[in-house]
Structure formats: C-alpha cells, structure tokens
Amino acid sequence: MPVWAASTSAELKLVSVEKGFVRVELWHQGNIVKPDKVLGVNGMVAVKTKAYNPRNMLAVKLYSTAPSEQDVLALQSFINRDNSISLPVVFNYREASEPGYQMTVEVAMITKKNELLSAATTIDLLKGGSRNAFQSIEIYQSILSRLKDIQLSSAQVERLAQSLKTADQYNVCSLSLTAWSRPGWTMSKQHCNPDKNAVFGDSFVMQECAELSDRLFADLIEAAAGQCQVEEIARQQIGREFASELVSRLVSQKLQYLQIYQSTASLDQVYAWYEAFLPDSLDEAKKLMKAQLSKVNARRKGFSKMVASIVETDEYADLVVSELAYAIVTQNVRERDLVKNICTLQATKLSPQQCYDFASDVANALLKPFGATDLPELYGKAESIRQLYRKALKSKVPKDFVYSSIKAVSRWAETYAKSEHLQSNCFNRSVFPLGFMAERNRIPNPDLVARSGSSEYQYMIDQYASTLKTALYQLGESLRRYPKLKSGELEPISCTDTVILGPTFDLLFGVGTNPRPVAQ
C-alpha cells in the first residue's frame, strides 16, 4: 500500500504505477492543486527506485520546474491536464546483485516553502497484476529473467554451500543429494561374490546378499534425506519459487565431482555412513550382513566344487572350442578390408580386388574345418554344441546356471578374439592368419595370388584352414588336460598347454590369482 506523507500546507498522494509511469497528485484543503502552486518556480521532484532488495543500488531521476543542470529534466512535460504528474519509472534491475521479490518506487518533492513531501509504494513481483506496472511485457519478463539469474548465480550457490556447512548439514546433504542426482546409484555387490572376475558367477549365492545390500543402502539414503534440510535452507535464502533449482545447481556445481560418489558404494563406505548418519542401526546392519556373508561362503564352497566338476567334462571343452572357433572365424572375416588395404599398398602387381579376393578366400577356408560355408551356418554348428552341453548338464546343475555359463563362455570367446588377435603367441599365429598378416604388414606371394585358380594357390589357402583346425584340436586336448596341468602333475608339452595356463584362460575355470576381467 502507498505510504502517505503530508505537510500543513499540502499533501502528496501516490495514485498508481502503471505502464512504466508513476502518477502522483498534490492536494490542498481537499482539492487537487496545480504542481507549481506547491513547488513554486524552483521546485524539485525526485523519483527513486530500487530493484528486488534494499541492499541494491538506488536509482534516482530528477525533475524541476526550472531545470538548470543537464541531468535534471523539465517537470512541465509530465504534468497532465487534471494536474496530476506522471513520471517515468526506471529500475536498475540490470545492475542489481541481491535477490528479492519486491521493487520500490518513491516520489519526493521540495516545495516552495522548503518542505519535503514524499510517498512510496512497492511492487510485488509474485502478484500477477504487477506486470501492469511496467511499460511492456518484455520489460517485465526481462526483470523476472534477471531476478532468476541473481537467485541462481554462482554466488548464491556458494552461499548455500556455506549455509549447509554452518548448519552442519554439508556431509549428510552431500550423500542425500548425490543419491538424488544419480537414481541408479547402488551399493557394490563385490562382497557378495569373492570370485567376481571369473567367467562363472553364482547368481544363487549373490541374490540374497545383493537384496540385503540394496535394502541397507536404501535405508541409509532415506535417513540421509530425512536429515538433510537443504530445501528449507534454500527457501530461507532466496524464497520458495527458485529453491529447488538452486539446490539442483548446488549439485551440478559443488557436489557433482565430490569423491563421495563412486559407480557403486563399497560395503566399508556404507558402514562409515551408517556410523555418521544412522548410528543406532549400524550394529544391526553389520549383524545382518555378517550372517548373509556366512551363507555366501558356505554356498561358495559347494559352488566351487560344482564349477570344478563342470570344467573337467568333455562337453565343457567342446563348448569352449566351439565358441572360440566361431569368434575366431568372425574376427578373421572382419580383417579382410584391412588386409586388402595393406596388400594394395605393398603388392603393386595386385589390384585391390585381387587383394580382397585373397583375404576372402582365407576367411572362407577357415569355415571348412567345421563343415560350414558361411558364418550363419557356423553359428548353427555352435548352437548344436551348446545343445549337447545343456543336455549333458541338465540333471547335474541348476538350469539357469547352465544357460548363464554358456553366455559367459560365448562372451569370453568374443572378447578374446577382439582383444588378443594381434598378440603374438604360438596359438594366435595359428588361428588369426589375417590379423597376424595385417599387424606385421605382410603380403601374400603376388605371383601366387595372380594365379588364384591354380592348385598351388589352393594348397596355400587350405594350409591356413589346416593350421586353424590343428590348433583348435590341440586346444581341446589341452582343456581336457587342464586339471593335471594346473596341479603340476603334467608338464606342458604343447603350445596350447602353455596358453591355457595363462591368465586369460584362467577365467574359464573360475580360478586364477589375477585374472583379467571379462569385458561387459
């Protein structure tokens, strides 16, 4: 509401602020009077405005009945026919740095009797009708936009962070807001599966432990959210309208890179958070997890025996060889263009098509040892081996473990072919002829390739297939010998004996001191 100020001779009434103008009237003895009757020949009028907050800079515009200075405007131009005065209102909102929802307008006058008259009003930006106070909707929207910039500035984010620290809320809010900003954040399940790097994984053992871990983590986050008062602190700082967005900016600017966040929270870290934010439940949480891990360890022993009995079977060895054969041939097919490019650059006697035909002939020949003519047919052969594996284990182990083990071996074989095909060892040189050739910039005999229809050329191509077939056969034999090779009962006597004792193949047996993780 307007604030009234009066003198014994006249009073100033602020009528309205509309369309960017403040309208005032001068009254004397119950009537509106002409401004010059009150102001005289040297009267002075000032329009004072502040944007958002009393701490912001005051904007002042001066008017006079007899202006003598350059920045003082002539009042006569703003006097209406009804003797009211309509003066432009200019807000300094672009220079404002303090937030708030009210803007103030004050008109002050010095009368000819040297008396001060003043009247003021406030514009509440939260009220819908406040937009009528401004010259245009664009200016009103600019003011709101600037207000939002102030409310959500980096300085306000820093101020909120400091307020949390002052209130001893920073750590608990960091945990709560990190969980809020990352909906997929969970507790690590590594403690539920000691052999986490092996191909085989006991989902039966992990399930109950994982469910308990998720429940403990959810209880912790719920407790942290209940203790964190960041929304209330933000509302006290800048008001309700932008509080949630200020919190979001706090997360993105201050909390996003905190070390509190890892892709999954470890068990030890969760215990530490329990101690800090949910201390009354810490002992119970540890008791529940200890009991669950005891069950994990007990079932793990039985699981390890089950895995050991499976990997020693002929069906398992056949499955590994079959999945690896499909992955190896597929990788050789992928290498055709690379070999063609190298051949084209170095074998000037051969055309790009001749180079590509050679690479294709090698890739196609690698299908023959398996009785296939293309990759889909080879995949069908692999599926028949999987079926034999499923049939052999049907009554020995749970069904879903059989299927998950097939998937794991298949994934391992694909990863091996993609990551190991350029590694030089006796086995890889035998099964990745195109990759071996490309890695070392080798080219086929140009004269022989030029006679691609000759028996000599076909013999060369067949040799690649024969070498692959021999290597995979020996690999199968080594897989069957693995238990005795690993225990030291047998000395490695072949290339493949040595290969399967390496860390990459250790994954297949669910053992190994430092196995390389399977790519997901």
Side-chain angles (χ1 to χ4, degrees), residues 88-106:
V89 177
V90 179
F91 290 102
N92 57 346
Y93 67 91
R94 290 188 176 88
E95 291 75 33
S97 59
E98 293 289 338
Y101 292 95
Q102 292 184 335
M103 310 186 96
T104 62
V105 180
E106 180 185 3

Side-chain angles (χ1 to χ4, degrees), residues 72-249:
V72 179
L73 302 179
L75 181 63
Q76 192 64 35
S77 302
F78 301 96
I79 299 176
N80 303 316
R81 291 181 179 180
D82 62 357
N83 291 322
S84 64
I85 306 172
S86 294
L87 299 170
V89 177
V90 179
F91 290 102
N92 57 346
Y93 67 91
R94 290 188 176 88
E95 291 75 33
S97 59
E98 293 289 338
Y101 292 95
Q102 292 184 335
M103 310 186 96
T104 62
V105 180
E106 180 185 3
V107 179
M109 294 182 178
I110 302 295
T111 71
K112 63 183 180 181
K113 295 181 179 181
N114 204 30
E115 294 176 317
L116 174 64
L117 303 179
S118 67
T121 189
T122 59
I123 301 170
D124 189 340
L125 296 174
L126 292 179
K127 294 182 178 179
S130 64
R131 69 182 64 185
N132 296 326
F134 303 98
Q135 189 173 10
S136 67
I137 188 64
E138 289 76 18
I139 292 177
Y140 175 71
Q141 290 173 342
S142 295
I143 288 174
L144 292 181
S145 178
R146 174 58 184 155
L147 173 59
K148 183 176 181 180
D149 290 340
I150 297 171
Q151 303 275 46
L152 302 175
S153 66
S154 296
Q156 292 295 327
V157 172
E158 185 62 37
R159 182 180 165 195
L160 177 58
Q162 291 302 319
S163 296
L164 290 175
K165 292 176 181 178
T166 301
D168 197 23
Q169 286 266 298
Y170 194 79
N171 290 334
V172 70
C173 287
S174 294
L175 175 60
S176 175
L177 292 174
T178 298
W180 167 76
S181 65
R182 301 175 186 272
W185 195 26
T186 60
M187 184 175 172
S188 169
K189 309 303 187 299
Q190 291 183 5
H191 53 280
C192 298
N193 184 18
D195 294 333
K196 58 184 179 300
N197 287 330
V199 164
F200 289 98
D202 186 3
S203 59
F204 323 110
V205 172
M206 287 183 63
Q207 185 174 355
E208 290 181 359
C209 180
E211 289 175 354
L212 174 61
S213 299
D214 287 338
R215 189 169 74 250
L216 292 178
F217 193 63
D219 290 346
L220 171 69
I221 297 303
E222 183 179 0
Q227 294 176 35
C228 175
Q229 302 298 313
V230 65
E231 287 279 353
E232 180 59 31
I233 294 174
R235 284 195 292 269
Q236 292 173 5
Q237 179 174 319
I238 64 168
R240 183 177 300 274
E241 185 176 3
F242 297 123
S244 294
E245 193 165 349
L246 181 63
V247 172
S248 296
R249 295 202 179 190

